[in-house]
Amino acid sequence: VQLQASGGGLVQPGGSLRLSCAASGSIFSINVMGWYRQAPGKQRELVASMPTRGRTNYADSAKGRFTISRDDAKNTVYLQMNSLKPEDTAVYYCDAVVSRFQGDPGYVYWGQGTLVTVSS
């Protein structure tokens, strides 16, 4: 299973970006897809996660500005980021809990990361 993230880049404060992450390979089902980020010198932190069933979860810093969504037909998760701030600068990683066959409880796979830089 591979996750390919894209959509990062340089954006001015107040701007928007949309990240995408597509999962491919031997996939029976995807239980959760989400986004994390890691700023320089800081630990990786959850941004948002979206289970197949259940409640979408956002970090406090993302609430009201970021929106996570999924296209299960494409095994893809998106992160729409609006009103970006310099403190949103980080490498953004997608993850997915993937079951490769029926009865498989699932394993966490990570994308390679995409850099988001918010600066004027």
Side-chain angles (χ1 to χ4, degrees), residues 40-85:
K42 295 188 177 181
Q43 290 188 332
R44 190 175 297 189
E45 62 178 5
L46 173 70
V47 177
S49 65
M50 190 171 191
T52 301
R53 299 179 184 84
R55 186 175 177 179
T56 298
N57 186 37
Y58 290 97
D60 287 343
S61 59
K63 290 178 181 176
R65 300 189 299 127
F66 295 1
T67 302
I68 188 171
S69 60
R70 286 172 58 171
D71 184 338
D72 289 339
K74 297 181 179 179
N75 290 331
T76 299
V77 62
Y78 304 96
L79 185 68
Q80 178 67 44
M81 303 186 293
N82 299 328
S83 302
L84 283 162
K85 306 174 182 180

Side-chain angles (χ1 to χ4, degrees), residues 11-64:
V11 62
Q12 292 187 342
S16 298
L17 278 177
R18 188 191 193 210
L19 306 182
S20 301
C21 176
S24 61
S26 181
I27 298 171
F28 176 76
S29 64
I30 299 179
N31 307 315
V32 184
M33 298 190 85
W35 290 94
Y36 287 72
R37 69 185 182 186
Q38 187 166 18
K42 295 188 177 181
Q43 290 188 332
R44 190 175 297 189
E45 62 178 5
L46 173 70
V47 177
S49 65
M50 190 171 191
T52 301
R53 299 179 184 84
R55 186 175 177 179
T56 298
N57 186 37
Y58 290 97
D60 287 343
S61 59
K63 290 178 181 176

